[in-house]
Amino acid sequence: MINTFHIENRKTLYMKIKEPSLIIMFSGHAPRKTADEYYPFFASRNFVYMTGVESENTIFMAEVNGDDVVETMFILPKDLLAERWNGKRLSSDEVVEKSGVNNIKLLKEFESYYTRLLSSGKYENLYLDFDKFTKDEPDNEAYELCAEVKKIHPFVALKNLHPLIKSQRTIKKSCEIDAMKEAQKITRAGIVAMMKSSKPGMYEYQYKAEFDYALAQHGVLSPAFPSIISAGSNNFFIHYYGYRGKAQAGDMILNDVGACYDNECNDVSRGWPCNGKFNEKQKLLYECAFNTSEYMFSIIKPGMPMKDVDATIKKYNYEQLKSIGLCKSFDEIGKYMWHGGAHHVGYDVHDVVDASGLIVPNMVFCVDVGIYCEEWGIGFRLEDNCLVTEDGCINLSKETPRTIEEIEGIMNN
Ligand SMILES: [Mn+2]
């Protein structure tokens, strides 16, 4: 993604910070053991969102004084021996190019630099990214620095960047939506490849190989998250990663997968009969999920409370299941629907956003209808990615075969 995106993200952040403040963000590091089994390294998503840099042990600092902001990146030095093991490090010029931050210093200068700034008494606040998901890790730099600052600079107020960044990440910019659309084309290619090759006797790992191969043909070397691909009764394990099951005639295939393009993740699920022809019971259940999904895409629009998406999926799908005789009362819905139906996607597949309020334009979240009917031996989910527009919404994954006709059509041609 071009660096104007990251520059704009930082500008938006600075607008929310009034008093003279220091902002410090860490890209993170692989576990501090020497073993190379921890590579490839994945940088903090908030760090990448703000800087565009994905290198290990990199620190971003902003000295915010009203409209006057000095930005600095602290990077690892070039080191031929370290690079021989773990790959090429970015040069200063490359960091400038990716981030739009013009002051580049070496990591070893960081401690004396921030100590001098905090000792100057000029800064009332230190903003760090305290991510609740990582606070239990003993080697999280934000928590380490926090402990240090409390001890040595107790007059500096520690504040949390996390909610500020979360609220920014809730609304997608147009370049993010473009990247998601590109990712959708690739996800579609992967799912269509699985549908086309599907047949009784095929192993789950063979479906997975089809998906991975199609992604790689588009330059996507690993999916946005570990793919969930299962057949028959394995579909009743929501997070299934066994891959060794075999599709038997009459089984449904379930997959919950996504490509990532330019850091933007997709999360799409489809279900289909492995032999390419829905039987009566599969058809009945699939139509329930499909009707519920279609209904959701017809009503989602700005102003609706986000929490209503999940609740409405359950309610509407209950009516559907009741109409085919499966549910007698709403109390029974938990027997067939085992998980929530909406989460945001973006830099993370379960995106780090503020989902507490009303739906607004340019949010992107999943609409996920999962039906698990153990007595019929049929379980699957239909999950699409919903982009909220000014007056409604768009299904970003609608090109991935979704109706019974589309799925049977693509599997039999
Ligand atoms: Mn999913």
Side-chain angles (χ1 to χ4, degrees):
M1 206 165 285
I2 45 169
N3 73 26
T4 50
F5 169 70
H6 307 290
I7 293 172
E8 287 302 318
N9 290 344
R10 298 199 296 274
K11 278 193 183 147
T12 307
L13 179 65
Y14 304 147
M15 287 192 303
K16 299 178 208 160
I17 291 174
K18 297 290 169 236
E19 303 88 28
S21 302
L22 271 193
I23 296 171
I24 297 177
M25 295 183 76
F26 300 89
S27 70
H29 54 77
R32 282 175 189 149
K33 295 170 188 160
T34 49
D36 44 9
E37 68 209 63
Y38 297 107
Y39 289 88
F41 160 76
F42 292 100
S44 145
R45 294 290 93 192
N46 281 351
F47 186 88
V48 180
Y49 184 82
M50 287 296 172
T51 68
V53 173
E54 298 183 65
S55 312
E56 194 178 3
N57 287 315
T58 305
I59 303 176
F60 168 74
M61 181 190 287
E63 301 153 52
V64 184
N65 288 289
D67 291 339
D68 179 30
V69 182
V70 178
E71 297 178 318
T72 309
M73 260 321 197
F74 297 87
I75 66 170
L76 287 168
K78 295 299 279 181
D79 178 336
L80 293 181
L81 191 59
E83 289 177 53
R84 182 186 288 172
W85 284 93
N86 294 323
K88 200 168 170 294
R89 290 179 177 173
L90 293 180
S91 68
S92 307
D93 288 348
E94 286 165 329
V95 173
V96 171
E97 169 90 26
K98 280 181 184 290
S99 63
V101 175
N102 292 311
N103 302 320
I104 308 294
K105 293 185 183 298
L106 290 179
L107 191 64
K108 64 177 186 202
E109 300 173 74
F110 170 69
E111 193 167 338
S112 63
Y113 194 90
Y114 90 77
T115 304
R116 185 168 56 74
L117 290 176
L118 289 185
S119 306
S120 73
K122 211 164 123 191
Y123 295 97
E124 295 170 33
N125 306 311
L126 170 60
Y127 279 88
L128 297 170
D129 183 12
F130 295 112
D131 175 349
K132 70 179 165 71
F133 298 111
T134 57
K135 79 164 187 284
D136 294 330
E137 286 178 20
D139 56 355
N140 177 305
E141 292 100 327
Y143 285 85
E144 283 171 5
L145 183 62
C146 166
E148 171 112 355
V149 168
K150 270 187 185 159
K151 211 162 63 188
I152 301 173
H153 310 280
F155 46 86
V156 175
L158 285 154
K159 298 215 167 156
N160 192 0
L161 270 182
H162 203 68
L164 304 180
I165 301 176
K166 241 165 77 164
S167 81
Q168 274 180 246
R169 286 180 53 180
T170 311
I171 315 295
K172 270 53 181 181
K173 300 224 162 79
S174 67
C175 64
E176 294 187 270
I177 292 164
D178 290 345
M180 283 182 184
K181 287 179 178 167
E182 207 48 47
Q184 287 292 348
K185 288 184 198 160
I186 302 168
T187 304
R188 178 190 185 279
I191 292 178
V192 165
M194 290 194 283
M195 286 177 173
K196 280 182 173 294
S197 60
S198 182
K199 56 177 186 288
M202 192 160 155
Y203 284 94
E204 291 158 350
Y205 55 75
Q206 292 178 301
Y207 285 95
K208 180 177 177 291
E210 291 288 339
F211 182 73
D212 292 341
Y213 182 83
L215 261 55
Q217 290 296 332
H218 290 83
V220 175
L221 302 185
S222 65
F225 55 93
S227 303
I228 298 170
I229 299 168
S230 55
S233 57
N234 288 337
N235 298 3
F236 297 122
F237 303 107
I238 298 171
H239 288 162
Y240 172 83
Y241 303 106
Y243 303 127
R244 295 211 171 266
K246 194 192 218 179
Q248 314 286 351
D251 279 354
M252 288 276 284
I253 304 300
L254 174 155
N255 69 92
D256 187 344
V257 296
C260 190
Y261 185 88
D262 222 349
N263 286 313
E264 300 291 345
C265 300
N266 285 170
D267 186 359
V268 179
S269 299
R270 291 291 184 262
W272 63 84
C274 72
N275 62 2
K277 184 95 187 106
F278 283 83
N279 65 31
E280 280 317 302
K281 281 181 169 161
Q282 289 167 344
K283 208 177 259 183
L284 277 175
L285 290 177
Y286 194 87
E287 272 164 0
C288 291
F290 181 77
N291 293 342
T292 301
S293 178
E294 287 289 279
Y295 175 71
M296 294 311 297
F297 279 99
S298 76
I299 61 158
I300 290 169
K301 61 175 185 198
M304 180 176 178
M306 189 63 214
K307 64 174 172 38
D308 284 9
V309 175
D310 193 50
T312 311
I313 290 174
K314 273 218 162 78
K315 234 189 279 166
Y316 196 90
N317 201 45
Y318 158 69
E319 295 295 339
Q320 297 293 303
L321 293 174
K322 192 175 149 196
S323 75
I324 62 166
L326 279 180
C327 276
K328 307 261 172 309
S329 80
F330 188 67
D331 301 342
E332 293 170 344
I333 192 64
K335 193 174 159 196
Y336 301 101
M337 296 185 78
W338 296 352
H339 52 73
H343 64 80
H344 290 244
V345 288
Y347 260 51
D348 286 287
V349 68
H350 288 165
D351 212 24
V352 176
V353 301
D354 178 5
S356 61
L358 300 180
I359 290 173
V360 298
N362 298 325
M363 282 182 171
V364 182
F365 50 82
C366 297
V367 170
D368 183 0
V369 189
I371 299 179
Y372 306 90
C373 180
E374 287 176 298
E375 66 249 51
W376 291 0
I378 301 169
F380 63 92
R381 43 196 181 265
L382 176 61
E383 178 179 28
D384 289 88
N385 298 162
C386 175
L387 164 66
V388 181
T389 58
E390 292 303 322
D391 54 1
C393 69
I394 293 170
N395 181 351
L396 292 177
S397 42
K398 67 172 184 299
E399 300 297 325
T400 299
R402 193 174 127 78
T403 66
I404 287 178
E405 296 69 35
E406 284 165 354
I407 293 171
E408 290 187 346
I410 213 128
M411 292 185 74
N412 294 294
N413 279 303

